Amino acid sequence: MKYTITTPLYYVNDKPHLGSSYTTIACDALARFQRLKGNSVLFLTGVDEHGQKIERTAERKNLQPQLHCDEITDQYKYLWDKLNISYDRFVRTTSKEHISLVHQFYSKVVRSDDVYMGRQSGWYCVGCEEYKDVDKNDKNPICSIHKKDLEWRDEENLFFKLSKYQDAIEELIKIDGFISPESRKNEILNFVSKGLRDFSISRVNLKWGINVPGNKYHTFYVWFDALLGYVSGSLKDQDSPELTENSLINWPANIHVIGKDILRFHAVYWPAMLLSAGLKPPHAVFGHGFLTREGQKMGKSLGNVLDPIKLLEYGGIDAMRWYLLRDIEFGEDGDFQIRRFVDIVNSDLCNTIGNLLNRTITMSKKWFNDNIPVDNTLLSKSPLKIKSELKIKEYIDSFNDSNFKNSANAIIDIANNANLYLNEREPWKLIKDISNNDIVASDIYSVLESCRIIGILLYPIVPNLSIRILKQLKIDSSCISFETSLKWGLLNPSSGLEDPKPVMEKIEIGESLF
Ligand code: MSP
């Protein structure tokens, strides 16, 4: 089956931070999970380059906007490579394919009679690139997200007839699984029930945007332009983009993963725009929570961000990916704490998993001719087999719900069970009596087999660590799949073992990291 997943297209007003890395890591885990399930995945990410926010940033830096965008885009690509993000397409909204697609899409919306000229006045947040629901008589209102002054706007804009899609959107957002998590769904149901208002899709006096055909002084509103990046990124032929559903790789997207701040755009405005252009709306939208520092959203505009590159240098890629997906409930806000980061990584990855693998390989090689023992006796009855089968199911069910935390916990449970089993069975005592040879062989095989399963299950969350674990067991990670690799007993006793090497270095708590 085909599966399309998208990250938001990130504003290039500043270099990427931990918050943007969070969404992208989560999507990468989902994309890898879907590939292991045997699906053919289109994983799309990219950058949102137009609008006033970007124009002003470039001005402050005394740079041409395009040069500024190129610079920041390179930093996103560099970070995604460092984080081993397995994206298939990287969309830039300044690319010529995208611009051409926006024009085509607009003409379809016009043909549906969904565009008219009107006047918009109200308080605007440049950080959000959005009009805010604030009384016009309010004096000096500020944006609750960006903590910056709102700006008064009163201008002629083109409007999109969102109100025409009231019934269609009401139907859509009621569908089970369209909006997750459930709490976010209620927020949108409530918003839509108050009645949808048409929204403006063009700006005047803004040069840094895509021109609106037939309207010399207008450029497209940055959100109208950016959402269409999901379409331009899905085009089969990037050289001669022509917009029909057949010209797209897999439409509609299975899931748009976004932060809760931009849920309305994705769950309401975006599906209506698609319906207007005759394209299907997405299957699902997941609005995750914010990474916070001292309770405040971590954000480029607020200047309280953690630099992912510094965190990578400090703890490494596996530590960073593991902590974000294992410790923070996806969907809820989560406060980043360095002490907790260190404790969790050291405890889970170095002690529980790393030591298990290390000590078991050492025992196996020492007692069984440098190899994996043959398990003649208890293969089908091993208590570790039964527990691991239960945990594999828990892991897969949770991943299907984007519940990374539960999936990660299921892996740790498998490792804890195996550690406990070794401690109870004490093979180092049993092996002293030669008549126990078969029992010890079976025990060691079972624990190594648990390590193999752990290695596979870790792959979507921490691919680099997973590959290192599987390599020690002489397993080619490029050949794994859930269907063919998760059956108990596939570890081949004749394949041998590498010399045990710690798969994860402990992190020492630094003096001052940030
Ligand atoms: N450009 C728009 C999205 C257009 S999508 C067609 C945008 N960009 S953004 O760079 O400001 O934010 C994108 C996303 O980054 C947020 O929705 C969220 O997914 C993620 N995050 C930004 N700050 C974050 C945190 N502090 N914590 C978690 N995620 C955060 O909005």
Side-chain angles (χ1 to χ4, degrees):
M1 257 180 33
K2 290 184 174 170
Y3 189 92
T4 298
I5 175 164
T6 68
T7 71
L9 305 188
Y10 300 100
Y11 283 131
V12 290
N13 59 319
D14 205 349
K15 62 184 183 184
H17 63 84
L18 198 63
S20 18
S21 311
Y22 179 53
T23 322
T24 310
I25 289 172
C27 287
D28 184 59
L30 288 173
R32 288 175 187 273
F33 172 76
Q34 291 297 336
R35 290 193 196 105
L36 284 185
K37 274 173 74 176
N39 288 324
S40 147
V41 173
L42 172 65
F43 173 14
L44 209 144
T45 187
V47 283
D48 181 356
E49 303 177 90
H50 290 125
Q52 193 148 40
K53 173 149 87 168
I54 313 298
E55 189 178 62
R56 284 187 183 171
T57 315
E59 250 166 43
R60 274 198 297 276
K61 284 169 71 182
N62 228 347
L63 272 182
Q64 286 296 321
Q66 188 63 61
L67 281 179
H68 161 77
C69 291
D70 292 349
E71 217 173 68
I72 303 286
T73 300
D74 283 349
Q75 296 188 34
Y76 271 97
K77 287 188 170 167
Y78 175 78
L79 179 62
W80 294 168
D81 285 348
K82 287 262 167 214
L83 287 170
N84 200 357
I85 304 298
S86 59
Y87 63 87
D88 301 296
R89 291 270 179 94
F90 189 99
V91 181
R92 292 193 63 172
T93 58
T94 52
S95 70
K96 66 176 191 325
E97 302 80 31
H98 175 75
I99 293 170
S100 147
L101 184 123
V102 170
H103 287 156
Q104 285 188 61
F105 190 95
Y106 175 66
S107 66
K108 284 181 188 282
V109 175
V110 170
R111 248 177 279 141
S112 299
D113 193 24
D114 283 343
V115 178
Y116 64 92
M117 190 67 84
R119 196 158 190 95
Q120 171 112 353
S121 60
W123 291 106
Y124 192 78
C125 171
V126 176
C128 299
E129 292 281 13
E130 188 183 13
Y131 278 96
K132 295 287 173 181
D133 259 339
V134 173
D135 192 284
K136 68 173 191 249
N137 298 317
D138 225 333
K139 300 227 169 14
N140 309 323
I142 58 167
C143 168
S144 59
I145 297 175
H146 293 96
K147 313 284 177 226
K148 292 210 169 121
D149 288 345
L150 299 180
E151 299 176 19
W152 181 255
R153 296 283 160 84
D154 181 7
E155 56 181 47
E156 182 189 61
N157 290 162
L158 288 163
F159 278 74
F160 172 72
K161 289 185 190 165
L162 181 64
S163 53
K164 181 173 142 186
Y165 294 91
Q166 178 78 33
D167 293 346
I169 296 297
E170 273 179 7
E171 282 306 302
L172 181 71
I173 59 179
K174 268 196 280 184
I175 295 173
D176 228 16
F178 177 68
I179 300 174
S180 298
E182 204 60 22
S183 54
R184 303 265 136 73
K185 177 174 175 173
N186 296 335
E187 183 189 308
I188 295 294
L189 285 173
N190 188 28
F191 169 72
V192 174
S193 71
K194 290 182 186 144
L196 293 175
R197 279 183 292 168
D198 300 345
F199 74 98
S200 61
I201 57 164
S202 76
R203 295 289 180 264
V204 283
N205 305 323
L206 174 68
K207 283 207 197 76
W208 190 237
I210 299 176
N211 70 303
V212 178
N215 288 276
K216 205 167 150 203
Y217 300 107
H218 291 244
T219 51
F220 282 108
Y221 171 41
V222 61
W223 270 100
F224 186 83
D225 157 358
L227 286 161
L228 291 173
Y230 298 138
V231 188
S232 56
S234 302
L235 282 164
K236 281 183 192 150
D237 187 351
Q238 297 267 301
D239 290 332
S240 53
E242 197 202 321
L243 179 56
T244 63
E245 222 155 78
N246 281 339
S247 60
L248 302 173
I249 293 176
N250 172 36
W251 198 263
N254 294 72
I255 187 164
H256 294 306
V257 180
I258 50 158
K260 62 182 180 180
D261 49 339
I262 54 176
L263 188 56
R264 264 185 214 178
F265 287 104
H266 284 80
V268 180
Y269 294 23
W270 175 227
M273 283 164 58
L274 287 168
L275 291 173
S276 167
L279 292 173
K280 291 190 199 82
H283 290 301
V285 179
F286 193 106
H288 67 69
F290 288 151
L291 288 186
T292 56
R293 278 184 88 183
E294 284 145 46
Q296 292 264 33
K297 178 190 180 228
M298 208 184 280
K300 292 169 276 202
S301 311
L302 283 181
N304 62 348
V305 296
L306 279 182
D307 183 347
I309 296 282
K310 280 198 188 145
L311 191 61
L312 267 174
E313 282 163 3
Y314 177 64
I317 174 176
D318 298 303
M320 186 164 152
R321 291 179 62 122
W322 180 256
Y323 172 77
L324 291 175
L325 298 181
R326 143 88 158 105
D327 197 43
I328 292 160
E329 191 92 45
F330 201 57
E332 303 299 319
D333 290 352
D335 211 45
F336 184 92
Q337 291 162 11
I338 194 70
R339 180 83 245 178
R340 199 163 160 75
F341 170 80
V342 171
D343 287 349
I344 283 193
V345 170
N346 286 348
S347 158
D348 290 348
L349 302 185
C350 303
N351 296 342
T352 308
I353 293 177
N355 283 352
L356 174 73
L357 179 74
N358 202 272
R359 65 176 172 148
T360 317
I361 291 185
T362 307
M363 290 186 277
S364 187
K365 284 176 84 90
K366 188 166 159 204
W367 302 332
F368 300 98
N369 298 325
D370 219 21
N371 213 331
I372 299 168
V374 178
D375 179 5
N376 290 322
T377 50
L378 295 168
L379 188 60
S380 57
K381 296 196 205 106
S382 166
L384 291 184
K385 169 182 187 268
I386 297 154
K387 286 198 178 138
S388 97
E389 280 167 356
L390 277 175
K391 292 294 161 186
I392 289 172
K393 183 171 177 329
E394 217 171 284
Y395 166 96
I396 290 186
D397 290 347
S398 303
F399 235 113
N400 279 328
D401 290 340
S402 310
N403 188 339
F404 307 113
K405 189 173 186 163
N406 275 5
S407 291
N409 279 336
I411 303 176
I412 292 298
D413 286 346
I414 297 178
N416 278 336
N417 282 332
N419 275 311
L420 212 69
Y421 187 71
L422 276 182
N423 295 347
E424 277 168 6
R425 304 282 293 179
E426 299 185 311
W428 44 90
K429 286 190 184 157
L430 291 175
I431 197 70
K432 289 182 181 148
D433 180 348
I434 188 118
S435 66
N436 289 328
N437 215 55
D438 278 358
I439 299 174
V440 176
S442 175
D443 287 347
I444 294 293
Y445 182 90
S446 295
V447 177
L448 286 176
E449 179 62 349
S450 299
C451 290
R452 187 185 69 86
I453 304 256
I454 290 167
I456 294 167
L457 299 183
L458 282 174
Y459 185 77
I461 303 177
V462 278
N464 296 27
L465 174 62
S466 153
I467 291 170
R468 287 198 299 281
I469 291 175
L470 294 175
K471 191 163 171 290
Q472 295 221 344
L473 299 169
K474 297 219 174 173
I475 293 165
D476 179 359
S477 49
S478 64
C479 299
I480 56 175
S481 81
F482 287 154
E483 202 188 330
T484 57
S485 316
L486 285 182
K487 224 174 118 248
W488 185 267
L490 293 178
L491 187 66
N492 181 357
S494 60
S495 67
L497 290 165
E498 297 230 325
D499 283 339
K501 257 200 307 216
V503 279
M504 194 70 201
E505 296 290 341
K506 274 212 162 133
I507 312 176
E508 303 293 335
I509 187 113
E511 291 269 295
S512 117
L513 178 56
F514 307 104

